[in-house]
Amino acid sequence: MQQNEPTTGIAVIGMSCRMPGAKDTAGYWANLRDGVEAMKFLTADDLVAAGMDPAILQHPDYVNAAIRLEDVDLFDATFFGFSPREAELLDPQQRLFLECAWETLENAGCDPARFPGLIGVYAGVNASHYAFNLYANQDLVQTMGMFQISVSNDKDHISTRLAYKLNLRGPAITIQTTCSTSLVAICQACQSLLNYQCDVALAGASSILLNQNGYIYQEEGIPSPDGHCRAFDAMAKGTVGGSGVGVVALKRLDDALADGDPIHAVIRGFAVNNDGAVKVGYTAPSIDGQAEVIGMALAMGAIDPETISYVEAHGTATPLGDPIEVAALAKAFREAGAHRNQYCGIGSVK
């Protein structure tokens, strides 16, 4: 493709994930299709095994809910060229991201050693909980040193580590925007493709909470009082923190069609903005800000909002967040020309 030829969209040509109760995208889709809730409600035995006092179960505000990711202790270190000690030091969030990134390229039929173009990486990872365990082991600190532990766990290294291990020569940019990290990574990857900075882009994020042993409910907080998440429901009272890893491989649509790549989805428009100070508080969402960014994405893709049948939303399942998100969508759709009511589904895979 010549650089001055139009690009009609960005194709998703590969994907991989690790989710609670699902080791891959097929398992994840099966859980969504069947309405499986990946929640685990902890018992006294679970708490004892985790080193906690089971008496916490008697606390009036304790919620014994956890969304745990399985097999976070497993890693194919040899495949990625890590020694046993190097693998021991590496944050599990980064271990699983490496595996998912490789699986994504494999799913896309893209061999980094043979691909003639540039492969970029746009990714983010949560702050390392694992590092606290390492720093607490003074023998390990004395043997390996603080620097090596830091390099193995600092979230800034997620993209460059993957680029190094797989010899990817496109941009390797780490994105950190808290709960929007994976979506912003995808937006930045799409922009990189449209600017011809790379020819395939890996985009995604990894967040793994270790030692999930329930939580103490606080009124008007984000966590749910009963451990269930009911996004966009009249009974919505909060959410529950969980873990997961997700990666997609992106390519300019025209190139993907020309190369005969598998195409799982097409990204027609995307946008990024910020509310600034126009909201009631730092952690609060803004109707105007959300409506604006939705409108920008619709405009970029030249999308008629009345042709949209479903919106996958953030869905905090809180009395504050959900109504604001619905109001922002309604505002954006109206401003983009939608006239019908109640024609578009909305949901969240929290």
Side-chain angles (χ1 to χ4, degrees):
M1 172 187 279
Q2 298 299 316
Q3 189 162 342
N4 59 354
E5 292 182 9
T7 298
T8 56
I10 301 296
V12 179
I13 63 170
M15 53 187 175
S16 176
C17 73
R18 298 280 194 282
M19 299 294 175
K23 296 182 179 181
D24 52 30
T25 54
Y28 185 48
W29 174 249
N31 285 347
L32 294 176
R33 180 196 62 207
D34 299 336
V36 174
E37 186 180 41
M39 193 74 64
K40 176 180 176 61
F41 287 93
L42 307 176
T43 65
D45 290 341
D46 294 325
L47 295 176
V48 169
M52 294 188 65
D53 184 352
I56 194 174
L57 287 169
Q58 307 306 316
H59 191 291
D61 295 318
Y62 172 71
V63 182
N64 62 328
I67 307 177
R68 293 176 170 178
L69 191 64
E70 297 83 3
D71 299 333
V72 295
D73 57 326
L74 303 182
F75 179 54
D76 194 346
T78 303
F79 180 83
F80 290 99
F82 288 95
S83 70
R85 178 47 63 90
E86 288 174 328
E88 180 185 9
L89 294 181
L90 188 61
D91 181 4
Q93 298 179 124
Q94 301 206 29
R95 297 180 205 163
L96 293 189
F97 188 86
L98 285 170
E99 292 188 343
C100 281
W102 174 262
E103 289 175 7
T104 298
L105 289 172
E106 194 171 47
N107 182 250
C110 179
D111 182 352
R114 299 181 181 180
F115 184 68
L118 294 175
I119 300 176
V121 183
Y122 292 82
V125 66
N126 207 345
S128 175
H129 293 200
Y130 185 67
F132 292 110
N133 298 330
L134 299 180
Y135 287 130
N137 186 334
Q138 288 303 304
D139 290 338
L140 185 66
V141 171
Q142 292 297 323
T143 302
M144 300 304 299
M146 297 283 285
F147 177 76
Q148 190 58 49
I149 294 175
S150 175
V151 169
S152 299
N153 288 270
D154 194 303
K155 56 188 181 180
D156 289 351
H157 296 286
I158 181 70
S159 294
T160 48
R161 174 168 285 112
L162 174 62
Y164 172 68
K165 286 298 180 179
L166 300 187
N167 192 28
L168 309 180
R169 298 178 179 272
I173 309 297
T174 296
I175 307 292
Q176 297 294 346
T177 60
T178 60
C179 54
S180 63
T181 292
S182 57
L183 288 178
V184 174
I186 290 172
C187 288
Q188 296 302 305
C190 289
Q191 192 64 63
S192 180
L193 288 164
L194 294 179
N195 290 339
Y196 288 80
Q197 294 178 331
C198 60
D199 302 290
V200 166
L202 291 171
S206 176
S207 179
I208 298 175
L209 303 178
L210 301 178
N211 305 319
Q212 281 189 285
N213 298 306
Y215 55 89
I216 301 297
Y217 168 72
Q218 292 182 320
E219 191 172 356
E220 297 184 357
I222 294 176
S224 165
D226 62 3
H228 294 286
C229 178
R230 304 175 179 89
F232 305 111
D233 190 289
M235 296 176 63
K237 294 182 179 179
T239 189
V240 181
S243 300
V245 185
V247 185
V248 293
L250 306 175
K251 195 174 188 179
R252 290 180 292 272
L253 178 59
D254 291 348
D255 290 350
L257 291 170
D259 295 340
D261 294 318
I263 298 177
H264 304 286
V266 175
I267 300 172
R268 295 289 187 186
F270 56 90
V272 179
N273 75 345
N274 192 284
D275 293 328
V278 187
K279 51 187 179 181
V280 297
Y282 176 64
T283 60
S286 161
I287 293 177
D288 290 341
Q290 288 192 30
E292 179 184 71
V293 78
I294 294 166
M296 291 163 62
L298 290 173
M300 179 183 181
I303 297 168
D304 179 352
E306 291 199 353
T307 65
I308 297 174
S309 60
Y310 176 76
V311 173
E312 176 62 31
H314 178 46
T316 58
T318 61
L320 173 65
D322 285 2
I324 287 177
E325 192 163 11
V326 172
L329 280 165
K331 177 179 171 64
F333 277 35
R334 289 283 182 244
E335 291 178 348
H339 301 289
R340 291 187 292 147
N341 294 321
Q342 298 181 339
Y343 67 89
C344 178
I346 185 172
S348 174
V349 292
K350 302 296 283 191

